[in-house]
Amino acid sequence: MFVLHHGWRSSASRRVRLCLAEKGLKFESILVDLAKMEHHRPEYLKLNPNGVIPLLILPDGRSLYESGTICEYLDETYPEPPLRPGDAYGRAEMRNWIRYTDERIGNLIIFNWRHSIAKVAANMTDAQLAEAMKKIPSKERQQAWLRAARQPYTPEEEDEARAKLTMMLDRMEGALGEHAWLVGDRYSLADIGIVPFVKRMSEEIIPDELSDEKHPKVAEWWRRIQARPAFKEARIESFTSTL
Ligand SMILES: N[C@@H](CCC(=O)N[C@@H](CS)C(=O)NCC(=O)O)C(=O)O
């Protein structure tokens, strides 16, 4: 049995749950409370030195982190239904999509953390914050925690993030003008990788951009995605619901 350390609202965790659901693989769920910094505890960092979720423990006891890598591993190990293109070029394109979305996670943090992490971080004393910083392994995430605690994002930064997220939709619109899914005619890990981003954009960030008027191909893709049984199974639910 797989054991997944995750969060219901975490985008990277959502990718892995989507992949597991497509494959019909069950898992034991271990929820990691980010606001309590459970992902920075020494025992967790031993298994995922990056100090983020998700983390997947395989049935043989070995562990894996990085959502894109986990999904590729699952597809290689449980090939049905296939979630990667059948040819090397297609798989390379798929990896570029995953990398592209990975690099844009910061634009989601600006909107996501205010719902949980920022509330806790803002109440930390300077001494508590300094202590917390020592446990966060990456400079980039230390910076994000500091921003959450002491320097909320400005409206200008939010607008900039919205513009970058809209550019992702523009790029998707181009790809979907050529074929049914982001890479060719097969639903793949490229699509799965971006689903959590689009979910958040559709809720409170830039919902209008998901309309048939603004991005018709993406809007149609989004309807097809939401109709997949795995979407429900993976519980890609409203971010602000009380999960
Ligand atoms: N590249 C990583 C990103 C993981 C990631 O950013 N996870 C977020 C939740 S979606 C997290 O753990 N954030 C808490 C933190 O940075 O302190 C992956 O795809 O697994």
Side-chain angles (χ1 to χ4, degrees), residues 177-190:
E178 289 172 24
H179 24 71
W181 299 101
L182 285 181
V183 181
D185 290 324
R186 179 189 285 177
Y187 178 67
S188 79
L189 298 181

Side-chain angles (χ1 to χ4, degrees), residues 72-118:
E72 276 217 54
Y73 172 84
L74 288 172
D75 196 53
E76 268 194 51
T77 322
Y78 300 87
E80 292 301 324
L83 291 175
R84 288 172 302 160
D87 63 305
Y89 186 80
R91 287 193 293 280
E93 283 194 299
M94 176 199 80
R95 289 188 192 107
N96 273 350
W97 271 105
I98 296 171
R99 177 179 290 193
Y100 172 73
T101 51
D102 281 347
E103 286 167 357
R104 272 141 195 88
I105 190 84
N107 298 299
L108 276 195
I109 285 177
I110 290 179
F111 299 100
N112 288 356
W113 282 25
R114 64 169 63 134
H115 294 291
S116 53
I117 290 176

Side-chain angles (χ1 to χ4, degrees), residues 1 22 28 45 57 61 66 75 79 81 92 109 116 135 155 193 196 199:
M1 177 80 144
E22 288 287 346
E28 181 190 331
L45 289 173
I57 313 294
E66 274 302 317
D75 196 53
I109 285 177
S116 53
K135 297 181 189 143
K199 172 67 178 163

Side-chain angles (χ1 to χ4, degrees), residues 10-12 15 34 39-40 52-54 66-67 113 141 145:
S10 139
S11 299
R15 284 176 170 177
L34 300 180
H39 55 311
H40 298 138
V52 287
I53 51 173
E66 274 302 317
S67 58
W113 282 25
R141 293 305 165 95
W145 273 79

Side-chain angles (χ1 to χ4, degrees), residues 9-200:
R9 302 190 296 186
S10 139
S11 299
S13 303
R14 287 177 165 193
R15 284 176 170 177
V16 174
R17 293 203 307 273
L18 276 168
C19 187
L20 288 164
E22 288 287 346
K23 306 254 166 217
L25 296 168
K26 301 283 170 229
F27 63 90
E28 181 190 331
S29 159
I30 298 192
L31 290 176
V32 179
D33 192 334
L34 300 180
K36 288 190 184 146
M37 302 189 94
E38 288 179 352
H39 55 311
H40 298 138
R41 289 183 180 162
E43 58 273 25
Y44 186 86
L45 289 173
K46 252 189 224 160
L47 298 174
N48 183 352
N50 293 340
V52 287
I53 51 173
L55 165 71
L56 185 71
I57 313 294
L58 308 180
D60 65 9
R62 291 180 297 172
S63 56
L64 268 182
Y65 53 87
E66 274 302 317
S67 58
T69 312
I70 295 173
C71 289
E72 276 217 54
Y73 172 84
L74 288 172
D75 196 53
E76 268 194 51
T77 322
Y78 300 87
E80 292 301 324
L83 291 175
R84 288 172 302 160
D87 63 305
Y89 186 80
R91 287 193 293 280
E93 283 194 299
M94 176 199 80
R95 289 188 192 107
N96 273 350
W97 271 105
I98 296 171
R99 177 179 290 193
Y100 172 73
T101 51
D102 281 347
E103 286 167 357
R104 272 141 195 88
I105 190 84
N107 298 299
L108 276 195
I109 285 177
I110 290 179
F111 299 100
N112 288 356
W113 282 25
R114 64 169 63 134
H115 294 291
S116 53
I117 290 176
K119 289 181 188 163
V120 175
N123 284 327
M124 287 178 175
T125 63
D126 286 348
Q128 285 169 331
L129 195 56
E131 207 43 48
M133 284 306 115
K134 290 185 202 158
K135 297 181 189 143
I136 301 174
S138 87
K139 280 263 172 291
E140 176 218 347
R141 293 305 165 95
Q142 283 178 3
Q143 192 57 30
W145 273 79
L146 277 176
R147 289 296 312 260
R150 295 290 183 266
Q151 204 189 342
Y153 294 100
T154 63
E156 290 72 30
E157 284 174 307
E158 289 183 7
D159 283 347
E160 207 177 306
R162 279 192 199 91
K164 286 188 184 147
L165 292 166
T166 304
M167 278 164 63
M168 292 177 78
L169 297 179
D170 295 343
R171 191 184 277 211
M172 290 175 72
E173 190 70 18
L176 294 168
E178 289 172 24
H179 24 71
W181 299 101
L182 285 181
V183 181
D185 290 324
R186 179 189 285 177
Y187 178 67
S188 79
L189 298 181
D191 302 285
I192 285 182
I194 210 162
V195 162
F197 282 74
V198 175
K199 172 67 178 163
R200 286 297 287 135

